[in-house]
């Protein structure tokens, strides 16, 4: 090997070693700076306090936290989970951004309080100054783009739950295991409203980066039909189906409007009402 080439290779190896050591020495400070930026964005844009207990590196690009929560000012907790595991992309971290390709949560809980004066989600509906001149769809599109930008193609939520508090449409939804493996969805959903109980099986695929997805809903047991929740209590209407198909073809903003293409289809759909003599 020529001396000049050998010298170049030694210099490159030394620079790589210094960069590798520097990453491990400085990544804690960089992570703290990036998370502080995220906290400030949540506080300024949504009036929500984001807390994360003992956020730390557990590998070259793996993060863990013992607990995370979102609490709007003076309102009930909007979101919490008992533990969080992230795998992140390293380069965006050094410019103050957190980009993930794996997200795992234990016992994530969403609580939407819809009682008048106690709404804990209105901060996510507030318009920015730019959105105020372009319309509410601009604001909604911006929020949706922010969410899709941070969602990875690999998700795993254990014992996930959603609770909606409302005098008319209040209900709870639980998913023992909600998974998205390389964009492939698979989960059982348990829905409860007062004494009524429903079960759905969720499947299909979704790509947050491409903003496209195909979703299927049905009953977990073969041969049984899934029931639409919430309708009976509010309208008296009973509706069920063997399979519900939903296709989402992209989400974009054009001229201040949120645009998307949705295709909806059902198999063995039926509905009825006590005031009607026949089932439709």
């Amino acid at each position: 090997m020529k001396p000049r080439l050998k010298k170049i290779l030694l210099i490159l190896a030394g620079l790589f070693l210094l960069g590798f050591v520097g990453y491990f020495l400085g990544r804690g400070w960089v992570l703290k700076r990036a998370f502080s930026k995220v906290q400030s964005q949540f506080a300024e844009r949504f009036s929500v306090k984001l807390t994360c207990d003992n956020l730390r590196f557990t590998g070259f690009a793996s993060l863990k936290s013992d607990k995370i929560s979102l609490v709007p000012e003076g309102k009930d907790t909007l979101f919490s989970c008992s533990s969080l595991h992230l795998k992140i992309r390293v380069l965006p971290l050094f410019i103050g951004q957190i980009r993930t390709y794996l997200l795992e949560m234990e016992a994530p809980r969403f609580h939407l309080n819809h009682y008048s004066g106690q709404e804990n989600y209105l901060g996510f509906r507030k318009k920015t100054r730019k959105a105020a001149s372009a319309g509410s769809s601009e604001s909604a599109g911006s929020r949706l783009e922010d969410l899709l930008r941070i969602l990875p193609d690999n998700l795993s939520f254990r014992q996930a739950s959603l609770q909606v508090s409302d005098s008319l449409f209040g209900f709870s939804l639980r998913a023992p295991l909600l998974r998205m493996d390389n964009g492939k969805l698979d989960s059982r959903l348990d829905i409860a409203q007062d004494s009524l109980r429903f079960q759905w099986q969720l499947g299909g695929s979704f790509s947050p980066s491409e903003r496209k997805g195909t979703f299927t809903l049905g009953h977990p047991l073969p041969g049984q039909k899934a029931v639409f929740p919430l309708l009976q209590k509010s309208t008296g209407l009973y509706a069920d189906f063997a399979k519900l198909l939903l296709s989402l073809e992209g989400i974009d903003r054009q001229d201040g409007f949120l645009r998307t293409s949705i295709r909806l289809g059902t198999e063995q759909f039926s509905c009825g009402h006590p005031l009607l003599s026949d089932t439709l």
Side-chain angles (χ1 to χ4, degrees):
M1 183 181 295
K2 295 182 179 181
R4 185 176 180 182
L5 179 59
K6 183 177 181 180
K7 184 177 180 180
I8 292 174
L9 291 176
L10 287 174
I11 292 175
L12 292 175
L15 290 174
F16 174 80
L17 182 60
L18 286 175
F20 188 77
V21 173
Y23 167 72
F24 278 93
L25 292 177
R27 65 181 185 173
W29 176 84
V30 173
L31 175 62
K32 184 178 180 179
R33 177 175 173 270
F35 183 70
S36 178
K37 182 179 179 180
V38 173
Q39 283 182 309
S40 298
Q41 289 177 342
F42 270 86
E44 293 173 4
R45 298 186 63 183
F46 310 122
S47 300
V48 171
K49 182 180 179 181
L50 170 65
T51 59
C52 202
D53 294 347
N54 194 20
L55 181 63
R56 63 202 182 274
F57 275 97
T58 56
F60 182 77
S62 296
L63 298 173
K64 281 191 176 181
S65 174
D66 296 332
K67 186 178 179 181
I68 188 170
S69 64
L70 287 172
V71 183
E73 294 180 3
K75 305 293 182 180
D76 293 339
T77 299
L78 178 64
F79 170 79
S80 65
C81 72
S82 60
S83 66
L84 173 73
H85 177 214
L86 292 171
K87 288 190 176 180
I88 64 171
R89 305 189 187 281
V90 175
L91 292 180
L93 187 64
F94 286 90
I95 58 174
Q97 298 178 355
I98 298 178
R99 296 286 183 262
T100 66
Y101 63 90
L102 173 68
L103 173 60
E104 296 178 339
M105 290 186 182
E106 291 286 341
R109 179 179 182 269
F110 291 89
H111 178 212
L112 302 180
N113 192 334
H114 193 58
Y115 285 103
S116 178
Q118 304 178 33
E119 296 90 341
N120 64 346
Y121 57 88
L122 294 182
F124 290 88
R125 296 174 55 185
K126 291 180 179 178
K127 298 181 183 179
T128 60
R129 292 180 180 178
K130 180 179 178 181
S133 60
S136 60
S137 58
E138 178 80 9
S139 180
S142 177
R143 302 293 189 266
L144 189 57
E145 283 185 338
D146 291 342
L147 176 61
L148 293 176
R149 191 179 297 115
I150 63 175
L151 274 180
D153 291 332
N154 296 283
L155 301 171
S156 178
F157 297 161
R158 296 182 181 275
Q159 301 300 325
S161 65
L162 166 66
Q163 181 179 348
V164 178
S165 299
D166 184 273
S167 58
L168 182 60
F169 293 102
F171 70 95
S172 65
L173 182 150
R174 297 184 182 278
L177 178 60
L178 176 59
R179 295 180 57 191
M180 187 167 73
D181 188 4
N182 290 321
K184 302 294 183 182
L185 286 163
D186 182 27
S187 177
R188 192 187 85 235
L189 307 177
D190 300 323
I191 307 169
Q193 185 183 32
D194 297 334
S195 60
L196 302 176
R197 298 291 183 271
F198 310 92
Q199 284 189 331
W200 281 6
Q201 184 70 33
L202 172 66
S205 61
F206 180 62
S207 173
S209 58
E210 296 180 0
R211 305 173 187 177
K212 295 181 179 180
T214 302
F215 308 93
T216 62
L217 288 171
H219 198 280
L221 299 178
Q224 295 196 33
K225 299 177 73 174
V227 177
F228 278 111
L230 311 181
L231 291 177
Q232 280 183 285
K233 181 180 178 180
S234 58
T235 66
L237 185 67
Y238 178 89
D240 60 19
F241 57 90
K243 184 178 290 186
L244 179 67
L245 307 172
L246 176 66
S247 178
L248 179 66
E249 296 294 334
I251 302 172
D252 297 292
R253 284 187 295 159
Q254 296 180 5
D255 301 325
F257 291 94
L258 186 64
R259 300 180 185 272
T260 185
S261 174
I262 298 176
R263 296 181 180 180
L264 184 65
T266 62
E267 295 181 6
Q268 301 180 33
F269 173 80
S270 61
C271 66
H273 194 278
L275 300 179
L276 299 177
S277 58
D278 297 319
T279 299
L280 300 179

